[in-house]
């Protein structure tokens, strides 16, 4: 098993002048993927029980998207647009823990941004297709970026602050899920204040007189344990897909008839909001705060909105100092559409694949 920085190791296999796209190759590390899972929930508090399924069934995690972003980072490393700005990913098929090929193509190279496509192929079939925008992710300075435009930051009263209630110095890591084979390399500490907002008797619940509604929420501090694993541009696609989703957060009374299911992502849009600050007394190098919210589910399709924030220290380290929230930066946001799929659908597909062998 390898730490994350090694699991996203890919290499260039062709020069662009040899064709209309450049090829990058590697092998999907099974330890950074997640098998399909069983799920149950009781009352207002989700109680999760997990059990691995046949090896031909895999959930597509942000790890796969990290490979695609890394390919484009390498492609753009010697250009005037070296930083990922926005990525849209369409998950077409399940990715497998095997060799892959990523084909990167430039659609347009403009003055401020470069538009690219990057598709991941396994056994000659595309499994994930992305469109990516690269540019220069500048550091805010006095309310403005160094290159152009307006940036809204504290102390402005209109600027959003980090939405987690706890401080990572006092956060308590919880036992990671058994199906997370990468759990030896991470620490996760969910925010109990945010989780309590999902209770059936919480004021956030709506009724006929409610205007709007906040939906369901989840938040946590996340740390890489290996000192060689730092928060980097290619780790953000992985981090925006670490959360407890809407179906997990809903009590059983709100989802009658929902049996054993899993919730694959169909489309994910990721924006790199700000550059990752250097390691300092104000910013940790291996820890981020993750905040998730969701408001809608219809015919199994449900939304997810994620914010990834810097952290003032790693989990269980440092101490809380006044004004620490003002220093934290949202470095990435993501939205996704996921789908509820009954587990029996995957079991049938797995049996069909096995019979063909």
């Amino acid at each position: 098993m390898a730490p994350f920085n090694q699991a996203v190791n890919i290499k260039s296999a062709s020069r662009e002048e040899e064709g209309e796209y450049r090829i990058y190759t590697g092998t999907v590390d099974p330890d950074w993927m997640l098998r399909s899972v069983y799920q149950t929930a009781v009352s207002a508090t989700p109680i999760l029980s997990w059990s691995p399924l046949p090896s031909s069934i895999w959930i597509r995690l942000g790890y796969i998207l990290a490979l695609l972003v890394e390919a484009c980072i390498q492609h753009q490393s010697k250009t005037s647009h070296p930083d990922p700005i926005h990525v849209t990913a369409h998950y077409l098929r399940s990715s497998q823990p095997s060799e892959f090929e990523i084909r990167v193509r430039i659609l347009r190279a403009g003055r401020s941004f470069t538009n690219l496509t990057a598709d991941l192929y396994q056994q000659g079939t595309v499994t994930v297709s992305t469109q990516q925008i690269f540019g220069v992710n500048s550091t805010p300075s006095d309310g403005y970026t160094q290159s152009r435009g307006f940036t809204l930051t504290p102390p402005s009263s209109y600027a959003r602050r980090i939405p987690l209630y706890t401080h990572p110095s006092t956060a308590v890591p919880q036992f990671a899920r058994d199906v997370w084979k990468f759990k030896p390399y991470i620490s996760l500490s969910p925010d109990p204040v945010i989780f309590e907002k999902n209770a059936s008797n919480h004021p956030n619940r709506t009724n006929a007189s409610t205007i709007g509604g906040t939906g369901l929420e989840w938040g946590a501090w996340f740390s890489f344990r290996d000192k060689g694993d730092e928060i980097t541009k290619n780790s953000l696609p992985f981090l925006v897909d670490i959360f407890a989703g809407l179906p997990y957060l809903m009590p059983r009374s709100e989802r009658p008839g929902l049996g054993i299911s899993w919730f694959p992502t169909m489309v994910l849009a990721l924006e790199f909001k700000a550059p990752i600050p250097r390691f300092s007394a104000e910013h940790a190098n291996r820890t981020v705060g993750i905040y998730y919210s969701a408001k809608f589910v219809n015919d199994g399709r449900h939304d997810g909105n994620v914010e990834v924030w810097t952290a003032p220290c790693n989990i269980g380290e440092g101490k809380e100092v006044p004004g620490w929230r003002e220093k934290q930066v949202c470095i990435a946001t993501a939205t996704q559409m996921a789908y509820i799929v009954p587990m029996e659908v995957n079991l049938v597909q797995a049996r069909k694949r096995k019979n063909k062998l």
Side-chain angles (χ1 to χ4, degrees), residues 59-296:
I59 287 181
R60 300 173 292 267
L61 266 181
Y63 164 62
I64 298 298
L65 185 55
L67 297 171
L68 286 149
V69 171
E70 172 61 19
C72 289
I73 289 174
Q74 292 188 22
H75 186 279
Q76 293 295 112
S77 62
K78 297 181 180 180
T79 72
S80 59
H81 298 149
D83 301 324
I85 302 296
H86 192 275
V87 179
T88 302
H90 289 254
Y91 295 88
L92 308 177
R93 298 171 181 84
S94 294
S95 299
Q96 304 296 320
S98 62
E99 294 180 350
F100 64 83
E101 175 182 294
I102 295 175
R103 301 176 185 177
V104 178
R105 179 188 290 108
I106 293 179
L107 295 178
R108 178 181 180 274
R111 180 179 177 180
S112 300
F113 301 102
T114 295
N115 297 76
L116 309 98
T117 63
D119 299 329
L120 189 143
Y121 286 78
Q122 290 190 302
Q123 299 180 346
T125 301
V126 61
T127 61
V128 185
S129 179
T130 70
Q131 289 212 4
Q132 305 193 28
I133 301 174
F134 271 63
V136 177
N137 203 350
S138 302
T139 302
S141 176
D142 297 327
Y144 292 84
T145 60
Q146 294 175 351
S147 58
R148 73 188 79 81
F150 173 72
T151 301
L152 184 62
T153 60
S156 171
S157 60
Y158 289 90
R160 179 167 171 81
R161 270 67 171 180
I162 185 169
L164 272 65
Y165 289 82
T166 59
H167 189 273
S169 64
T170 58
V172 179
Q174 292 189 4
F175 184 73
R177 298 165 180 171
D178 288 338
V179 292
W180 287 7
K181 297 181 69 177
F182 50 84
K183 66 181 181 180
Y185 284 102
I186 69 163
S187 291
L188 189 71
S189 179
D191 190 313
V193 179
I194 295 178
F195 186 77
E196 289 172 1
K197 293 183 179 183
N198 302 314
S200 58
N201 59 350
H202 193 272
N204 282 359
R205 303 288 73 76
T206 60
N207 54 45
S209 62
T210 301
I211 299 175
T214 59
L216 297 168
E217 302 172 68
W218 181 88
W221 295 109
F222 174 100
S223 285
F224 285 119
R225 290 183 179 177
D226 191 284
K227 292 186 177 181
D229 274 341
E230 297 188 353
I231 305 303
T232 57
K233 291 181 285 189
N234 62 11
S235 68
L236 291 179
F238 172 75
L239 295 171
V240 298
D241 209 24
I242 295 290
F243 56 82
L246 182 148
Y248 288 145
L249 299 175
M250 294 180 65
R252 176 180 293 178
S253 60
E254 296 298 319
R255 48 182 184 83
L258 180 62
I260 298 173
S261 306
W262 68 297
F263 319 112
T265 301
M266 299 179 67
V267 181
L268 187 149
L270 162 64
E271 182 179 356
F272 296 76
K273 282 291 186 183
I276 300 169
R278 293 180 179 179
F279 178 48
S280 68
E282 298 174 344
H283 298 116
N285 60 339
R286 294 181 287 108
T287 301
V288 293
I290 301 174
Y291 173 77
Y292 165 90
S293 64
K295 297 179 176 66
F296 303 100

